Amino acid sequence: MATSMQLRREILAGGRDAALAALYGADPAVLARQRQRYADALEQFERYFGPGRQVHIYSAPGRAELGGNHTDHQHGYGLAAAVMLDLIAVASPSDDGFIRVKSRGFNKLDVIDLSEAEPQDGESTHSASLIRGIAEGFRARDRAVNGFDAYTASDVLRGSGLSSSAAFEMGMAVILNGEYGCGLPTPELAKICQYAENTYFGKPSGLLDQLTSAVGGVIFADFADPAQPDIEKIHAAGLLPEGMSLCVTDTRGSHSELTGEFAAIRNEMEAVASQLGAKVLGQVQEANFWAALPRLRTVCGDRAVLRAAHYFEENARALVQRDALRAGDFPVFLKAIAASGHASYTLCQNVYCSTDVRHQGLSVALALSQTLLEHSGGAWRMQGGGFAGTIQAFVPQRLVQTYHDAMEGVFGKGSCYILRLREQGAVRVI
């Protein structure tokens, strides 16, 4: 274990290039950027927590949802891929019972007193609640953890649909797991993070985002038993055929005020399930849903009914996508991507907020993508929880520059990313 100053010197001199290349690839320009990024994070750690501390550096990736939009929390299927955009955390353990975290771009230093185990008044929806909940998740599994000091720097766009929250959560979890030798497998860390997000942060999320950040690669998950989901890892290297790129455009709309909108999707789906004698839609036979449609419309309302229909349609589509990836049938996979995007508009209705119709960044991005990519062999869809954030597009190489420039012309410089997929999940890098 080296000091922050020693690591900074080694990284800038290229002495840790092998570790960086394993995550980000060996392109010289990419390595140069990551060297500087890691060195800057180490310097900021010293600024807030002092020089001479022995540290480790951890990384947790963001994710691109590929299929199963709002199906995981209903015990359905999910499909997602880890991406190169990640959160890195410089961390050093402490024995004073406090966790202190400073995150780049946020003015506040989170300070969590681990003697206060329960959710704290006024802390929900803030990062401190996630950290507290994750620490308690370890303790609930009889793992002895203590404090740490950490500085984080994230390239995962906040509020973008690439799940910056899951990357942050997994970053905190791998620090505790690594610094205190807890030995928990990464899927178990994902469950701890979901628990913290549900119980302490107050967002009723599913588990797919955390699992993808934890495990890496392309993940297909069956959440029929959410306590023990059946996980299949499909290697990311085989996803994109030659000549096709995955582009993500940040429409510069934040998810930070949308927890209620996300919660409504889950609540309405579960209201329908309740009328059919179940807790979640994954426990309902689709035929029984359609047979009860007249009654469900009256009792639950049409939006809830449409969102339930979305669940059944999207869940079946996730299976089609998985099978297409297994078989290397990319055209079938792309057809399902396009169908998923259409369902978000018409059934799930999570492309924009009905209470703020003047702001429809996702709708504009999707319309522009259709104009640019129709008849090109590409596909486009909203991704993530919805209402704001990002869209994704599979773009033929001959159109990547045109697509990139057009999207940035509308949403601003730096809004369109050409993503690379990542095999590794959350991990200690150095």
Side-chain angles (χ1 to χ4, degrees):
M1 196 170 181
T3 68
S4 54
M5 185 176 294
Q6 288 170 336
L7 273 185
R8 192 166 74 252
R9 289 172 178 168
E10 290 178 24
I11 288 170
L12 289 174
R16 300 288 182 147
D17 277 3
L20 298 179
L23 287 183
Y24 308 107
D27 181 271
V30 172
L31 279 179
R33 178 184 176 277
Q34 294 298 338
R35 284 190 213 109
Q36 191 61 56
R37 179 180 176 226
Y38 275 62
D40 289 346
L42 286 159
E43 185 175 18
Q44 290 300 309
F45 176 89
E46 292 175 4
R47 174 186 174 190
Y48 288 99
F49 304 113
R53 299 277 295 275
Q54 292 189 323
V55 299
H56 287 126
I57 306 179
Y58 296 83
S59 164
R63 69 93 184 94
E65 179 190 87
L66 301 178
N69 187 250
H70 285 288
T71 52
D72 56 342
H73 54 68
Q74 295 301 298
H75 299 192
Y77 305 125
L79 186 71
V83 299
M84 287 293 183
L85 297 176
D86 68 341
L87 172 138
I88 61 172
V90 180
S92 181
S94 64
D95 59 4
D96 61 1
F98 285 84
I99 294 176
R100 288 168 285 262
V101 179
K102 178 66 176 71
S103 296
R104 185 185 66 190
F106 294 85
N107 293 326
K108 184 180 178 182
L109 175 71
D110 286 321
V111 181
I112 293 87
D113 181 350
L114 294 179
S115 69
E116 298 174 335
E118 298 301 316
Q120 301 297 298
D121 289 342
E123 199 175 72
S124 65
T125 74
H126 296 282
S127 55
S129 67
L130 294 170
I131 301 167
R132 190 183 307 278
I134 290 166
E136 290 311 308
F138 276 87
R139 290 175 170 176
R141 288 160 175 79
D142 296 321
R143 297 307 197 271
V145 296
N146 208 322
F148 63 82
D149 296 331
Y151 179 84
T152 75
S154 182
D155 281 350
V156 186
L157 312 173
R158 182 171 176 252
S160 67
L162 291 172
S163 204
S164 58
S165 58
F168 178 82
E169 293 158 16
M170 285 306 306
M172 298 300 100
V174 291
I175 290 172
L176 286 170
N177 204 41
E179 297 302 316
Y180 291 102
C182 297
L184 292 176
T186 49
E188 194 67 20
L189 299 184
K191 294 177 194 175
I192 289 174
C193 292
Q194 184 201 23
Y195 161 76
E197 188 163 313
N198 290 176
T199 305
Y200 283 72
F201 189 84
K203 181 178 178 180
S205 65
L207 184 59
L208 181 61
D209 294 351
Q210 292 89 347
L211 268 178
T212 309
S213 184
V215 177
V218 178
I219 296 297
F220 177 82
D222 180 349
F223 294 103
D225 179 1
Q228 295 293 332
D230 185 15
I231 305 166
E232 177 186 351
K233 181 171 180 175
I234 304 169
H235 289 297
L239 174 62
L240 293 178
E242 188 173 354
M244 185 69 69
S245 293
L246 173 58
C247 297
V248 167
T249 299
D250 177 14
T251 65
R252 306 279 168 89
S254 174
H255 281 160
S256 59
E257 303 299 325
L258 295 173
T259 298
E261 295 280 2
F262 301 141
I265 295 175
R266 182 170 183 171
N267 292 341
E268 290 176 14
M269 288 182 175
E270 291 177 4
V272 171
S274 177
Q275 290 296 316
L276 296 168
K279 181 180 178 182
V280 294
L281 290 173
Q283 300 165 348
V284 172
Q285 293 294 318
E286 184 178 0
N288 293 342
F289 162 73
W290 291 111
L293 191 61
R295 176 171 62 87
L296 293 173
R297 289 186 64 203
T298 300
V299 176
C300 301
D302 283 343
R303 189 174 73 169
V305 164
L306 289 167
R307 284 174 165 172
H310 168 82
Y311 166 80
F312 291 113
E313 182 181 300
E314 183 77 354
N315 207 44
R317 191 160 37 238
L319 274 177
V320 171
Q321 290 177 279
R322 180 205 63 181
D323 293 344
L325 290 179
R326 281 177 174 175
D329 193 340
F330 200 67
V332 168
F333 174 80
L334 283 186
K335 184 177 179 180
I337 288 284
S340 176
H342 180 71
S344 294
Y345 260 125
T346 59
L347 299 177
C348 197
Q349 299 180 29
N350 60 336
V351 177
Y352 63 92
C353 298
S354 59
T355 56
D356 185 18
V357 295
R358 284 182 56 82
H359 297 98
Q360 298 189 38
L362 293 178
S363 305
V364 172
L366 292 167
L368 181 56
S369 295
Q370 178 173 329
T371 299
L372 295 167
L373 299 177
E374 199 168 22
H375 311 305
S376 72
W380 53 95
R381 73 189 282 269
M382 184 213 73
Q383 67 163 20
F387 303 107
T390 62
I391 70 157
Q392 67 179 225
F394 291 85
V395 183
Q397 192 59 42
R398 69 184 186 278
L399 295 176
V400 166
Q401 194 62 51
T402 299
Y403 183 84
H404 173 275
D405 293 348
M407 299 306 280
E408 293 207 341
V410 173
F411 296 102
K413 186 173 176 58
S415 61
C416 185
Y417 286 75
I418 303 170
L419 292 183
R420 294 180 60 199
L421 304 185
R422 167 168 156 166
E423 288 289 351
Q424 301 87 351
V427 66
R428 193 182 85 188
V429 184
I430 298 170

